[in-house]
Amino acid sequence: MTVINDKIIKTVAQCNGLSVEELLGKRRQQRFVEAREMLYAILYFSYDYRLTQIADLMGKNHTTVYHALEQYKTDFVMNPDFRKRMLNIKLTLNV
C-alpha cells in the first residue's frame, strides 16, 4: 500500500471507531460494512480509483466494490449518522 492509501485507510477506520484490521477484515456487521462503503467511496469519488484498483487493494471482486458504492449512495442520503461520519472523514482528508 502507498502512503496515501495508508492515510485514507487509517482515517476511515479512526472516524468509524475501528482498527485498521477491523476495517480491512471480512466481518459483515453493519458498522464494518458501512466503514468499507465509506472507504470505497473516498477512493472512487475523491481519488479517482477504478473499481478494479479498489478491489485489488481490498482483496475483493470489483462487483463487490460496485455494489458497496451503490449502497453508499443510499446510506448517504437516508442515514444522517452515516452522512455525518462521511463528511467528517472528507474534512479530515481535505477532499
Side-chain angles (χ1 to χ4, degrees), residues 21-38:
E21 292 77 22
E22 289 173 322
L23 177 63
L24 299 178
K26 295 186 182 286
R27 295 176 74 181
R28 294 177 59 189
Q29 293 166 322
Q30 184 174 1
R31 65 189 191 118
F32 302 114
V33 172
E34 286 181 352
R36 285 185 210 112
E37 287 174 17
M38 293 177 192

Side-chain angles (χ1 to χ4, degrees), residues 8 21-22 29 48-49 52 56 63-65 67 69 76 79 84 87-88 95:
I8 297 166
E21 292 77 22
E22 289 173 322
Q29 293 166 322
D48 297 322
Y49 277 56
T52 53
D56 291 344
T63 58
T64 301
V65 176
H67 289 292
L69 288 170
F76 190 83
N79 184 336
K84 182 179 175 184
L87 294 174
N88 185 40
V95 294

Side-chain angles (χ1 to χ4, degrees), residues 6-65:
D6 286 344
K7 179 182 177 188
I8 297 166
I9 291 168
K10 286 178 186 175
T11 300
V12 172
Q14 288 173 348
C15 288
N16 282 285
L18 303 175
S19 69
V20 170
E21 292 77 22
E22 289 173 322
L23 177 63
L24 299 178
K26 295 186 182 286
R27 295 176 74 181
R28 294 177 59 189
Q29 293 166 322
Q30 184 174 1
R31 65 189 191 118
F32 302 114
V33 172
E34 286 181 352
R36 285 185 210 112
E37 287 174 17
M38 293 177 192
L39 176 60
Y40 301 163
I42 290 287
L43 292 171
Y44 187 77
F45 296 116
S46 299
Y47 290 92
D48 297 322
Y49 277 56
R50 294 186 325 268
L51 295 177
T52 53
Q53 288 175 303
I54 299 169
D56 291 344
L57 176 68
M58 298 296 293
K60 307 281 185 193
N61 185 289
H62 73 281
T63 58
T64 301
V65 176

